[in-house]
Amino acid sequence: MSQVSGRKFSHCSGCSAQAVAEYSTNTLLDLLRLFEVTVFSYLTGNNDMHLKNLSLIKTNDQWVFSPSYDLLNVQLHLPEDNEEMALIINGKKRNLTKEDFIDLGEKYGLNEKQVFNTFARFIKAEQKMKKAVQHPFLSSANRIQYIALLQERMQLFK
């Protein structure tokens, strides 16, 4: 799914799904994982999840969605960047709604149950996510900002 550096932000999220659908050995599972990474990136302020951060890898003669990497809250470090996502979802990168994510899941070929179960898993994990942010690798101010962003964005899926 490699792209020329300057074009890595100019594509819609469907481009990555198209590559997964075309090359993945276990298409539906990998499309679900891609959806989960997209929702996680939104929730955690990772507006730097672009095409160069998404990969397929070949293991045992099978192409699979790679483990996720470069998942960090860019909003903490670049607060002037007002985009919520790097990839385009429903024609936009900000002011995303629950319906946008539902539509995205449907475009990935997921059914309603898979989409809503993804939301439910993140809602259930909210306290664990907040606890992970309490780690001292962040300043006190950044922890407060991170948790506030997480709480605000989590509301979208409740």
Side-chain angles (χ1 to χ4, degrees):
M1 290 191 274
S2 178
Q3 291 289 320
V4 176
S5 185
R7 293 178 23 209
K8 66 186 179 183
F9 294 107
S10 64
H11 293 299
C12 66
S13 55
C15 299
S16 51
Q18 183 179 1
V20 169
E22 185 173 342
Y23 296 106
S24 172
T25 304
N26 195 341
T27 304
L28 187 56
L29 176 63
D30 285 343
L31 286 169
L32 178 59
R33 290 185 57 223
L34 175 61
F35 182 69
E36 290 169 342
V37 169
T38 303
V39 172
F40 178 83
S41 291
Y42 170 77
L43 288 171
T44 59
N46 179 17
N47 61 354
D48 189 46
M49 188 194 82
H50 50 76
L51 291 177
K52 289 186 129 193
N53 288 341
L54 302 169
S55 302
L56 290 168
I57 57 174
K58 190 173 185 179
T59 59
N60 301 323
D61 291 326
Q62 296 186 341
W63 287 99
V64 296
F65 191 64
S66 73
S68 300
Y69 51 91
D70 199 16
L71 297 175
L72 53 110
N73 185 329
V74 177
Q75 291 284 303
L76 291 178
H77 305 289
L78 296 172
E80 66 278 3
D81 186 351
N82 61 3
E83 292 181 344
E84 296 170 342
M85 297 294 293
L87 297 176
I88 299 166
I89 298 176
N90 264 2
K92 55 190 178 179
K93 294 183 175 187
R94 62 177 170 224
N95 299 318
L96 296 168
T97 65
K98 185 176 186 176
E99 192 63 38
D100 291 325
F101 285 95
I102 293 168
D103 290 347
L104 180 66
E106 289 173 0
K107 287 176 185 171
Y108 284 7
L110 305 177
N111 63 41
E112 185 177 296
K113 183 177 181 181
Q114 292 167 314
V115 169
F116 281 90
N117 281 347
T118 298
F119 299 159
R121 282 192 305 278
F122 281 110
I123 292 165
K124 185 177 179 181
E126 182 176 3
Q127 294 309 315
K128 287 182 182 179
M129 294 170 77
K130 289 178 184 176
K131 186 175 181 181
V133 171
Q134 293 300 331
H135 196 277
F137 64 86
L138 289 172
S139 70
S140 179
N142 279 348
R143 285 193 295 265
I144 291 167
Q145 282 182 275
Y146 201 137
I147 290 173
L149 177 76
L150 184 61
Q151 287 174 318
E152 173 188 327
R153 292 194 177 179
M154 196 66 76
Q155 288 302 312
L156 189 74
F157 299 108
K158 292 183 177 177

